Amino acid sequence: MGSTYGYIRVSSTDQNEERQRIALRGRGVPESCIYMDKQSGKDFNRPKYKRLLKKLKPGDLLYIQSIDRLGRNYKEIQRQWQALTQEIGVDICVLDMPLLDTRQGKDLMGTFIADLVLQILSFVAENERINIRKRQAEGIAAARARGVKFGRPPRTLPENFYAVHQAWRGKKIPLKQAAKACGMPPSTFYAKAVRFEKNT
């Protein structure tokens, strides 16, 4: 009997992985054998997934909650599935899709059905990633149209900026001295000075 592992992926640090963890524990996966990445599923360049690959050996069993937790790139999911099941020789069980359990149906028909289901779910996973990005872009565009500003708000000018700016433009002090007096690098002072002049 080989070892049992589990893999968890969430897209960002604020997403909760507890549902996946509970499902894996319910299948008897030891906490020490659960690997988790908080990263996009667009590719497999993930630190914990790479560490898991190094641990896996023939006869091991890998549980994942759903195929989109493995990844969201159609071709990469197919490639990784082949690498895991054929090159390394591990079994995979996708908990929310019983047809994707390589311990079952190892005959030609079973393999064909599993491959077909994998292709469909891989397509759905990548399509959802594309739709998520599209919705995000549309949301940002709509917010910008409403006047919402993104990024850090511009820093307010120091109280002495106007006086220092006048002294610098009057050639009473050099750029470096003016910038130092305002507590900023010369390039920043110059950029703010140009912007200030355009707006006045």
Side-chain angles (χ1 to χ4, degrees), residues 61-74:
L61 172 62
L62 174 64
Y63 283 107
I64 54 173
Q65 176 69 30
S66 58
I67 202 67
D68 63 352
R69 297 305 89 200
L70 182 63
R72 284 191 180 274
N73 181 304
Y74 178 79

Side-chain angles (χ1 to χ4, degrees), residues 72-75 121-130:
R72 284 191 180 274
N73 181 304
Y74 178 79
K75 287 183 179 177
L121 293 180
S122 302
F123 169 79
V124 170
E126 177 161 359
N127 196 53
E128 179 60 16
R129 179 173 69 89
I130 291 167

Side-chain angles (χ1 to χ4, degrees), residues 19-173:
R19 186 176 67 89
Q20 295 178 64
R21 197 177 291 278
I22 289 168
L24 295 178
R25 286 196 201 116
R27 294 303 180 103
V29 182
E31 190 64 35
S32 61
C33 293
I34 296 176
Y35 291 75
M36 182 184 70
D37 282 306
K38 293 197 172 187
Q39 205 167 326
S40 165
K42 66 180 181 179
D43 58 44
F44 284 83
N45 189 24
R46 307 178 215 136
K48 294 295 174 63
Y49 182 77
K50 287 181 174 179
R51 194 176 298 176
L52 171 63
L53 286 181
K54 290 179 181 177
K55 292 285 288 186
L56 291 170
K57 58 188 184 300
D60 287 346
L61 172 62
L62 174 64
Y63 283 107
I64 54 173
Q65 176 69 30
S66 58
I67 202 67
D68 63 352
R69 297 305 89 200
L70 182 63
R72 284 191 180 274
N73 181 304
Y74 178 79
K75 287 183 179 177
E76 282 297 315
I77 292 172
Q78 308 285 321
R79 193 173 294 124
Q80 289 299 317
W81 188 275
Q82 184 175 9
L84 290 164
T85 59
Q86 296 180 26
E87 294 169 23
I88 299 176
V90 304
D91 277 312
I92 305 175
C93 177
V94 180
L95 296 178
D96 70 354
M97 180 50 64
L99 286 171
L100 288 180
D101 184 345
T102 60
R103 296 170 298 176
Q104 312 297 326
K106 288 185 179 286
D107 60 357
L108 185 60
M109 180 58 75
T111 302
F112 170 74
I113 292 171
D115 286 348
L116 192 61
V117 171
L118 178 64
Q119 286 186 43
I120 293 168
L121 293 180
S122 302
F123 169 79
V124 170
E126 177 161 359
N127 196 53
E128 179 60 16
R129 179 173 69 89
I130 291 167
N131 287 335
I132 288 169
R133 290 175 64 189
K134 186 180 176 183
R135 288 194 295 268
Q136 286 173 339
E138 288 171 351
I140 290 168
R144 283 190 173 138
R146 293 194 308 270
V148 176
K149 303 288 185 185
F150 291 91
R152 291 185 298 180
R155 290 175 60 187
T156 55
L157 297 173
E159 290 181 11
N160 65 341
F161 183 83
Y162 182 70
V164 172
H165 173 265
Q166 275 194 318
W168 171 63
R169 278 304 187 196
K171 299 193 185 298
K172 292 177 183 175
I173 58 172

